[in-house]
Amino acid sequence: MSRLGRMTRRTFLVTSAAVAGGVAFLVRKDGQPVPNPLEPGPGETALNPWLVIDGAGVTIVTPRAEMGQGTQTTLAALVAEELDLAWEDVRVMHGPASASYYNGALLALGMPWKEYAASRWQEAAVGSTDVVARLLGLQVTGGSTAMVDGFEKMRRAGAAARIVLVQAAAARLGLAAERLRTEAGAVIAPDGTRLTYSDLAEAAAGIPPPEDPPLRPASGWKLLGRALPRTDMLAKVTGTAEFGIDVRLPCMLFATVRMNPRLGGPMHGFDAGAARAMPGVVEVLDLGTGFAVVATNTWLAFRAADTVRADWGAAPYPADSPAQMQAIAAAFEDHPNATLRDDGDMADSTGNEISAEYAVPYLAHACMEPMNAAARLDGERLDVWCGTQAPMLVRDHCAAALGLKGADVAVHTTFLGGGFGRRGETDFAVIAARVAAALPGRAVQVTWTREEDMRHDFYRPAALARLRGRVAGGRVTGLEARIAAPSITRQMMRRIAGFAPPGPDKTLLEGAFDQPYAIPNFRVAFIECFLDELAQAAGRDPLELRLELVRPEHAPSAAVLEAVAEMSGWGTPLPEGRARGIAFCHSFGTPTAEVVELVQTDAGIRIARVFVACDPGTALDPGILEAQMTSGALFGLSAAVMGEITFAGGIAGQGNFPDYDALRMNTAPQVAVNILQSGGIGGAGEVATPPAAPALANALFALTGRRARRLPLVHDFAFAL
Amino acid sequence: MAVTLTVNGAEHALDLPREMPLLWALRDALGLTGTKFGCGIAACGACTVLVEGQAARACVLAIGDVWGPVTTIEGLGRPEALAPLQRAWIAHQVAQCGYCQPGQILQAASLLAETPAPTDADIDAAMSGNLCRCGTYGRIRAAIHTAAREMAEG
């Protein structure tokens, strides 16, 4: 265990700020101090919650989990930029579970307004959401929010630390601070004397940091704006990166879990006689709605679990996919419980009406690393090791499950082998905590089989959309979209907070109502596919129609459409058997447009090329952004082509990758990315996903003349897979 | 009944059932966690190791059936002594979540051992069994070409 690992493990024993080395509180702009959750050991100084200095240099504590999106690299670069660190010297660790690492940008995502047009009262409301997020202590990685939340916060942490380090050097040298400069982790005097931050840290900790340190303008950036080498790359190509599943502790036992595959259903009983008789099986535990097998290795636990005969109760939902879709369709007969945009009345619009119904299935997250966590209960103290997007929720839910106080639970966040929102849930950690509680003093790692993972997901809900539109004189005069689906935010908030917030659920309609299209009589919208249908009915080019609708509303959105058109050669002729489709989405603060180019081959339809143009405001790391856009587009295309969870008898029909696959080396398209920068900061993690499916569907229409109105597309189109 | 395995040059006598998959012997008995569990049925490639230089899916290969010396990601190269493929992976900044990458790198090592200058079609054929949910395929392809060039130049 590394020195820093020790430090975070001890963090939860801290009850006051009086710790070795001294702790300065970083003061926020609003005057509220952010308590420092770090407990430095001898020779270590935590100048604020985001950085620790010891004899070897500076370690940046990133408040967000690394699940592939590169967030820890860019968050560290924000601090290093202001602190003047040499990039090769930067070390990074994930911080402990602490409300100090709240994500102020996350709750704003759930607010019901058009995100591209935040007005002053809306900003004020976001400000208060920020306060709520702090109260809830949402130390969450998700919603493409890390840079929006961290852009100022992390730079302020670096700038404030730099100022007190310079002041400490000035005092030691008897020189005015203005005469000193900083470079590569040291303060430099005019005569060349070099004092490292390590030398100065302890003295600097005694100096109150400035409340509002000045930040460097983008024109002076040395690290930001460049494609930096990722801080996690070396570990990830040498097998030395520690994911949750890789945690190894002294005398550790290995376990697996089987919960009722009819989600939420009861277990009436189980017979584990054969499992208990297997040499190496330590324990079979009753978890109420399932059981866990603890053994001396994971394979043995899997095999023993296979021999257990459980009497599973029925699912508390319609057992089969057709019945589930009927229940969703029935919601159209009810009064809508959310109308997020209503700019007029469809009845007032004129022209020819067209309508269409779209259907999307349940989707699994299918992280490459199956769900898992390790835990150990020592007396009243619980340690939990896992890859999590929400360490504070892990802490609180594990504490509640064991009847402990939150302060008695330490969460050690590892790398995440994929998250996609699945690791914002806490079920895997709570199960590990409950298993560990049955074996006090022993560390137990609970690893799910792939089948257990896929059949116990929090699925992206299936949905139906009914759209009506009117066109007259080559223009779109009216559009109405009605969407029926189980709510995401309500389900999630019930799990997180025990209640569902009132009001419409914006996350369900993300990318639907809040698009900058100016259409008279715009009721709740959705519909990148339907816009293509309207364009066809109006006799218009899909790009031209979008530009006409977008330009008066939001210039950066028009610019990404123009950029993607130029990259892809939109409008230029393609050879026979090739076709393009376009789509656009403004999500997580970043307008993103995509063109998909298809080719008809003898083996079926291939996705040949994808073009992505996005505007995240400021390209903090163009290399990571390019990777994220590619990643997001492929994720969306995989889901659109083949992603589907169906239910029979209450159980998901897909349990492993042959049944729930994704694009692979031989089927993935080439992806080209163009990053525009209109200023400000938008999200990056997921923004390329929403436009991928509609761009593909629109390209399929261009290629085949058939509209793609249900996903996954493999049901209606022959792909070369 | 001990099973003897040679892993990364070291010989191990393991008191484990012969039918135990190599993956779990590596991870849970030898503590070599660089080899990953993804699916358990040879459908994703995350557990890929080399046996006598040839790619094998450790999740379905019983330790009693291992026919030669095993190389895992830890044995291909170390942080202070990287293999050409690992250097190329860094040069192209391939990994995102990184979970599938040890398997990707060892699959690529197997490809280059047989086909030192692979075409894109060779790469498609050799690598399509290795799933990456982050979609790093473009950078993997570029890194394989880079490593092939470096290895050809010696």
Side-chain angles (χ1 to χ4, degrees), chain A residues 337-433:
Chain A
N337 57 9
T339 299
L340 296 178
R341 184 163 175 177
D342 191 348
D343 301 347
D345 195 330
M346 267 289 281
D348 296 342
S349 66
T350 56
N352 298 328
E353 180 172 319
I354 63 166
S355 62
E357 179 168 307
Y358 293 86
V360 299
Y362 284 97
L363 289 179
H365 296 87
C367 304
M368 286 302 300
E369 179 192 8
M371 294 302 111
N372 67 82
R376 183 179 60 213
L377 181 67
D378 293 303
E380 290 287 293
R381 176 188 163 86
L382 178 74
D383 283 88
V384 180
W385 293 261
C386 61
T388 169
Q389 295 174 245
M392 287 293 278
L393 295 179
V394 166
R395 190 193 76 162
D396 292 348
H397 292 182
C398 288
L402 269 53
L404 301 172
K405 295 191 292 292
D408 297 327
V409 180
V411 180
H412 312 278
T413 301
T414 61
F415 284 124
L416 284 62
F420 316 129
R422 177 63 181 89
R423 287 190 157 92
E425 303 291 344
T426 61
D427 51 338
F428 50 93
V430 170
I431 286 171

Side-chain angles (χ1 to χ4, degrees), chain A residues 109 142-148 588 682-687:
Chain A
L109 277 186
S144 301
T145 52
M147 292 310 134
V148 179
F588 310 107
E686 300 149 271
V687 301

Side-chain angles (χ1 to χ4, degrees), chain A residues 482-493:
Chain A
R482 296 163 68 218
I483 300 170
S487 160
I488 302 171
T489 299
R490 272 162 216 229
Q491 294 173 3
M492 198 160 72
M493 285 306 279

